[in-house]
Amino acid sequence: MKLQKTVIAVALLAALSACSNDDDTNQGDKGFNLTIAHINDTHSNFDPVKSSFTMGKDGEVVFNEFGGYPRLLEAANEIKEETSQPLLFLHGGDAWQGTAYFKLNEGTANADLLSQMGLDAMALGNHEFDLDTSKLASFIDSVNFPLLANNMDAGLDSALSGSTNLKPYQLFAFDGATKRTISEVTEANDNEQIVAVIGVVLEDMPTIATGTGDVKFENEIAFTQVTVNALKAQGVNKIVVLSHIGNARDIALAEGTTDIDVIVGGHSHTLLGDFTDLGHGDNGVYAQLVKQKDEVGQTCIVQAGQYAQAIGKVDVKFDSEGELLSCAGQNTLLTNEEFYNDGKREESDLLTGADHEKVASFIDENVLIDDVEENNDMRVHIDATYKPALEEAYGEVVANAPQEINHERRPGDGGTDKHGSDVAPLIAEGMVYWANQTDVNSVIGKKVQIGLVGAGGVRTDIASGEFREGHASLELLPFSNYLSVLTINGEVLTELLTSTIDATLPVGSHAGKFPYVGGMRYTFTEEVKNTSGNISSIDINTGTETEPRWEPISSATDYVVIVNNYNASGNDGWNALGDAQLQATDRVDLVKTSTGYKAYKVDHLTYNSTENTYSVVYADSAPSCDDNGTDICNTDALSFIDYAEEKVVLESLPFESTTVIYKD
């Protein structure tokens, strides 16, 4: 991190803060200053992510790589070296899942690498519950920093109940810039300042995560206020919340409580700040000050994007009574120093000489992007320990992508247009193609018309170049979901689209539930800004992908849809599908076996109103998907592999299937 750039940026931001303080010391009556470096939703991106940026709002596009764990480590180390005042380095959760590294190593590789980061604490994300609580417990007990969650009760879970490294909060005692962890306020010395970091996890975790075991999750606002009150009663007056609930709910948490000074967030993958000049959109205010419940106090909110591409740094000032005086800072995208003028990244596309210097100069002058070298020790360790197995696991080349195909969860995010992701519609179209192949369709017994995909189930862009089997099964669709086929009418389909899109409209909301489609198209028009809208047009494709023929969808007509079993069972807010199966359903869940494909008949779903979760009741037996099972259950990935192999050349669909018109 270039010190001069960072100092200038923070100085400018501090001048715009709601209030300021010229006192820069941390002793006695003179207040306390704290720097927080933070990351979130790193999702096992040990290697850099291929990406691009623009040199100015309408400037040239430069193809580069962002982040990766070694580059994050180097950036964090530079912040620590440049900062002479008290500092915390925090992770907002969801280190798990996302790349082939996690598929091959589960939690062990993350435990290894994150323990080298010098983290002070991490919030529990929903993807930390993707396996089971035994594997999560192993991860928690292996790392050298605490995992935090104050609104979670693991007492009844046999795997997690005994973990001493899973805590509601962690106390840090500072003597100047010297920091130590303490368990009780009474352990602090008279000359030390105490900062509490409280973990907050999703209260509706069982509706999102599949491996929560016997853990109970409690109200985010109510439980956190109780914890804050208890700490305040003990004399702790500097309180940081480390959350994994999403930016919109971070704001609600700040507005619904008192005495929280800073919220360091995760879950919504929000790269807070105006990155329009880099082609990455205006994603909301970094270090936003939100009025608390008493309309007197203020809470500062930050979050640092996704996939280990950026690091956040916020400087916080307190007065001698622990009242928040100001907060200022920024996110910084971390780029490599190899630039191309085309997404194919061929040798002829490499920028050299004056062209390279032009990009380097632009980066030097822009405070929101920085060229940071990778930490060499961590890179060597990854390449020696984890890379060989990863390379072997990718399998055969099945297609080629002439250009990068972009994925964003919600239209308009990350500088995208009103149509959003180009990858998710391709996957949905591929599911329809796969289901209607003779060997698959013979076990379904009916033609599949529509594919539905939740944006959060798609984890990466499709890079230009060779597309191998592992790009689908290990990266793009890594959750090993099987596909479900069921019949719903147009009314249910419209309600599903409306309710899931409405839930993504609030600023900073988690957009994993956003629906993309294949075999059809729709337009959603927002009516109440950031609140609600309606499906203004919806059509089914009765033709082909290359020669579509559009006919309006009727609310009373039945349609055969294919969707992964996670969303088919009403998870992550897809309640319209869950509710449609409560009495009865014709749904079948599709897996692959050693001899072909097999369909498991679902009789109906049941609903737990207390936890807002659905359970599947099979007519006979359920798919056997555990480590000892006989079924090959990742038919979501297998379907796209078959589709890619058929296409040979992977390109965006020739038509737009998803359109969102936002209200001005």
Side-chain angles (χ1 to χ4, degrees):
M1 199 83 43
K2 299 179 184 68
L3 178 58
Q4 186 177 7
K5 284 175 63 174
T6 304
V7 169
I8 292 171
V10 171
L12 289 171
L13 288 164
L16 299 174
S17 293
C19 44
S20 63
N21 181 9
D22 293 331
D23 180 10
D24 289 329
T25 66
N26 288 295
Q27 301 298 324
D29 296 334
K30 299 179 181 179
F32 181 78
N33 299 336
L34 175 68
T35 294
I36 301 174
H38 59 99
I39 55 179
N40 57 273
D41 297 280
T42 52
H43 286 295
S44 307
N45 280 273
F46 304 167
D47 295 331
V49 176
K50 288 184 177 180
S51 189
S52 63
F53 63 91
T54 59
M55 293 197 294
K57 184 177 180 180
D58 299 312
E60 299 172 43
V61 178
V62 177
F63 295 88
N64 69 325
E65 293 181 347
F66 281 130
Y69 277 26
R71 188 164 282 116
L72 271 188
L73 174 57
E74 194 68 16
N77 287 343
E78 290 185 13
I79 290 175
K80 292 174 183 178
E81 291 170 4
E82 294 167 2
T83 303
S84 59
Q85 65 187 27
L87 181 142
L88 292 171
F89 183 25
L90 305 175
H91 193 308
D94 270 8
W96 282 25
Q97 204 58 265
T99 72
Y101 286 114
F102 182 78
K103 291 286 289 184
L104 297 174
N105 301 283
E106 297 183 333
T108 58
N110 265 298
D112 172 18
L113 299 180
L114 291 174
S115 291
Q116 299 177 39
M117 286 276 192
L119 289 164
D120 290 302
M122 174 177 156
L124 268 183
N126 52 293
H127 284 290
E128 272 73 68
F129 289 93
D130 274 359
L131 301 178
D132 56 47
T133 54
S134 294
K135 290 175 180 176
L136 174 56
S138 178
F139 170 79
I140 292 172
D141 294 339
S142 297
V143 296
N144 59 5
F145 51 85
L147 276 294
L148 305 182
N150 96 101
N151 60 321
M152 183 181 112
D153 182 1
L156 297 178
D157 189 86
S158 58
L160 288 173
S161 59
S163 177
T164 59
N165 202 33
L166 175 60
K167 305 176 181 182
Y169 57 84
Q170 178 64 61
L171 300 178
F172 297 90
F174 288 93
D175 179 4
T178 303
K179 170 181 60 187
R180 66 189 183 98
T181 59
I182 58 176
S183 299
E184 303 289 343
V185 174
T186 54
E187 296 176 19
N189 299 321
D190 291 342
N191 64 324
E192 290 180 317
Q193 299 262 14
I194 301 175
V195 177
V197 180
I198 302 170
V200 179
V201 299
L202 290 160
E203 61 189 41
D204 53 348
M205 188 77 80
T207 73
I208 297 176
T210 57
T212 55
D214 294 318
V215 179
K216 290 185 64 178
F217 299 88
E218 307 291 355
N219 184 273
E220 297 155 5
I221 293 175
F223 265 68
T224 302
Q225 187 67 74
V226 169
T227 302
V228 169
N229 291 348
L231 289 167
K232 292 284 286 187
Q234 296 175 63
V236 179
N237 60 12
K238 291 172 281 292
I239 293 177
V240 176
V241 159
L242 183 57
S243 85
H244 192 86
I245 59 177
N247 188 244
R249 284 159 80 161
D250 283 340
I251 294 171
L253 176 62
E255 293 174 335
T257 56
T258 58
D259 297 316
I260 296 173
D261 298 301
V262 183
I263 298 177
V264 177
H267 187 54
S268 55
H269 295 208
T270 310
L271 183 68
L272 288 173
D274 186 354
F275 287 80
T276 306
D277 277 354
L278 296 172
H280 286 262
D282 184 347
N283 310 305
V285 177
Y286 182 92
Q288 178 184 4
L289 287 169
V290 175
K291 279 197 172 182
Q292 297 173 4
K293 187 177 182 181
D294 61 6
E295 293 290 328
V296 177
Q298 295 188 102
T299 301
C300 175
I301 299 176
V302 297
Q303 189 177 152
Q306 63 180 0
Y307 303 158
Q309 296 180 78
I311 192 166
K313 176 178 177 286
V314 61
D315 291 319
V316 187
K317 292 187 177 184
F318 300 89
D319 68 14
S320 59
E321 300 300 318
E323 293 297 320
L324 179 68
L325 294 176
S326 68
C327 62
Q330 66 182 69
N331 282 318
T332 303
L333 284 165
L334 307 174
T335 182
N336 67 340
E337 295 181 301
E338 193 170 82
F339 310 119
Y340 296 85
N341 60 18
D342 192 281
K344 295 178 182 178
R345 301 167 193 264
E346 296 176 352
E347 187 174 349
S348 59
D349 303 321
L350 182 66
L351 298 180
T352 59
D355 292 330
H356 181 276
E357 288 306 311
K358 180 181 177 181
V359 178
S361 295
F362 172 82
I363 291 171
D364 285 342
E365 295 169 4
N366 193 301
V367 298
L368 297 177
I369 186 171
D370 205 353
D371 50 335
V372 177
E373 293 183 359
E374 292 189 312
N375 180 275
N376 186 64
D377 290 343
M378 181 174 279
R379 171 47 59 202
V380 169
H381 179 60
I382 290 170
D383 289 350
T385 309
Y386 302 112
K387 185 66 71 83
L390 178 126
E391 293 293 342
E392 185 178 349
Y394 273 88
E396 298 294 325
V397 175
V398 293
N400 274 271
Q403 301 290 336
E404 180 181 56
I405 307 174
N406 184 55
H407 175 62
E408 284 291 341
R409 294 188 170 195
R410 175 175 43 198
D413 283 357
T416 57
D417 60 16
K418 61 185 178 181
H419 307 296
S421 174
D422 286 323
V423 175
L426 203 60
I427 291 171
E429 197 75 25
M431 287 159 48
V432 175
Y433 161 80
W434 174 82
N436 290 319
Q437 292 183 104
T438 301
D439 53 347
V440 181
N441 198 252
S442 63
V443 302
I444 299 173
K446 63 188 74 174
K447 181 181 179 180
V448 174
Q449 300 162 285
I450 294 169
L452 303 172
V453 171
V458 182
R459 305 310 295 185
T460 65
D461 300 334
I462 295 176
S464 61
E466 292 181 343
F467 186 84
R468 298 162 69 182
E469 292 173 340
H471 286 120
S473 60
L474 301 175
E475 293 184 356
L476 191 63
L477 298 160
F479 297 115
S480 296
N481 290 316
Y482 43 88
L483 294 175
S484 302
V485 172
L486 67 156
T487 302
I488 58 174
N489 62 32
E491 182 178 6
V492 171
L493 178 61
T494 302
E495 168 58 23
L496 171 68
L497 297 174
T498 305
S499 60
T500 50
I501 297 173
D502 278 350
T504 69
L505 293 178
V507 175
S509 60
H510 178 60
K513 57 178 61 65
F514 188 92
Y516 286 96
V517 299
M520 62 167 285
R521 67 181 182 186
Y522 73 84
T523 298
F524 176 92
T525 302
E526 185 180 41
E527 292 185 323
V528 181
K529 186 67 176 174
N530 300 326
T531 303
S532 63
N534 64 65
I535 300 297
S536 49
S537 69
I538 181 169
D539 304 297
I540 191 168
N541 182 8
T542 59
T544 65
E545 180 183 320
T546 54
E547 296 182 1
R549 186 168 62 250
W550 302 106
E551 294 183 4
I553 283 176
S554 167
S555 60
T557 301
D558 287 339
Y559 300 94
V560 181
V561 302
I562 184 166
V563 57
N564 71 44
N565 69 294
Y566 175 78
N567 292 124
S569 300
N571 289 306
D572 199 15
W574 284 44
N575 297 59
L577 275 191
D579 292 344
Q581 302 171 72
L582 289 176
Q583 301 302 318
T585 180
D586 67 345
R587 170 177 156 185
V588 291
D589 290 346
L590 303 169
V591 301
K592 192 173 184 179
T593 69
S594 58
T595 57
Y597 293 97
K598 182 176 181 180
Y600 287 87
K601 178 74 175 70
V602 175
D603 187 79
H604 66 283
L605 302 189
T606 60
Y607 177 67
N608 183 326
S609 59
T610 302
E611 296 187 343
N612 189 27
T613 56
Y614 298 86
S615 298
V616 180
V617 179
Y618 286 93
D620 296 305
S621 59
S624 177
C625 295
D626 57 29
D627 293 340
N628 299 316
T630 57
D631 294 330
I632 303 168
C633 291
N634 64 331
T635 46
D636 58 347
L638 296 179
S639 71
F640 194 71
I641 292 170
D642 282 359
Y643 177 69
E645 197 166 21
E646 168 67 19
K647 298 291 291 183
V648 181
V649 176
L650 282 176
E651 296 177 301
S652 301
L653 292 177
F655 53 84
E656 299 291 355
S657 63
T658 301
T659 303
V660 175
I661 301 173
Y662 293 106
K663 189 177 181 66
D664 293 332

